[in-house]
C-alpha cells in the first residue's frame, strides 16, 4: 500500500504561482510512476502531468505545457508540481496518483491522495 498526501494548494491571483507537493508513505514510492490530475467544479477529472519513477520522463497536458513543471525527490518520497502563470481556468481540486506505469489516464493509477484545492482569482 502507498498513502499519498497532497499539500500546497490555496488561493492565488491570476499570473501567480503555487507549488504542490505529494508526499508518500508505505511501500517504496521511488518505484512508482506518479501523476497529477485535477477536477474543476462540475467537470470530470483530467490529466495534468506525469513523471516516471526515475524522473527521467515527464508528460504534460497541452493546457499546462510551458507553465507547469513536475519533478520528484525520491529521497524525500515527494513529487512536486510547480505551477506558474496560473489562470482562472486552472481552478480545481488537484490530486496526485501513483502507479506501476506512467499513464495519462486516471484509471491506470492504483493509489490516490485526498486532493488539494487550488483557486485562481481573476
Amino acid at each position: 500500500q502507498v498513502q499519498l498526501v497532497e499539500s500546497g494548494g490555496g488561493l492565488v491571483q491570476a499570473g501567480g504561482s503555487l507549488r504542490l507537493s505529494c508526499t508518500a508513505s508505505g511501500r517504496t514510492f521511488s518505484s512508482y510512476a506518479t501523476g497529477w490530475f485535477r477536477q474543476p467544479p462540475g467537470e470530470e477529472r483530467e490529466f495534468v502531468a506525469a513523471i516516471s519513477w526515475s524522473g527521467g520522463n515527464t508528460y504534460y497536458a497541452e493546457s499546462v505545457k510551458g507553465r507547469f513543471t513536475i519533478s520528484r525527490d525520491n529521497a524525500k518520497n515527494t513529487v512536486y508540481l510547480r505551477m506558474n502563470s496560473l489562470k482562472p481556468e486552472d481552478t480545481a481540486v488537484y490530486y496526485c496518483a501513483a502507479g506501476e506505469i506512467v499513464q495519462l489516464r486516471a484509471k491506470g493509477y492504483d493509489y490516490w491522495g485526498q486532493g488539494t484545492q487550488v483557486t485562481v482569482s481573476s
Side-chain angles (χ1 to χ4, degrees), residues 57-122:
N57 295 293
T58 57
Y59 308 83
Y60 297 94
E62 285 297 323
S63 60
V64 306
K65 201 172 289 185
R67 299 188 298 123
F68 291 11
T69 302
I70 189 170
S71 61
R72 68 190 301 155
D73 184 341
N74 285 337
K76 296 182 178 180
N77 278 355
T78 301
V79 171
Y80 304 99
L81 184 68
R82 177 68 179 182
M83 306 185 296
N84 295 328
S85 303
L86 283 161
K87 305 174 181 180
E89 51 264 44
D90 293 317
T91 294
V93 178
Y94 283 70
Y95 299 89
C96 69
E100 294 187 1
I101 302 172
V102 172
Q103 298 196 43
L104 309 189
R105 297 169 59 187
K107 67 176 5 181
Y109 289 89
D110 302 310
Y111 305 103
W112 290 83
Q114 83 290 347
T116 185
Q117 176 71 45
V118 172
T119 303
V120 184
S121 62
S122 58

Side-chain angles (χ1 to χ4, degrees), residues 12-27:
V12 63
Q13 288 189 333
S17 299
L18 284 174
R19 189 180 76 162
L20 305 184
S21 298
C22 173
T23 302
S25 60
R27 296 183 63 182

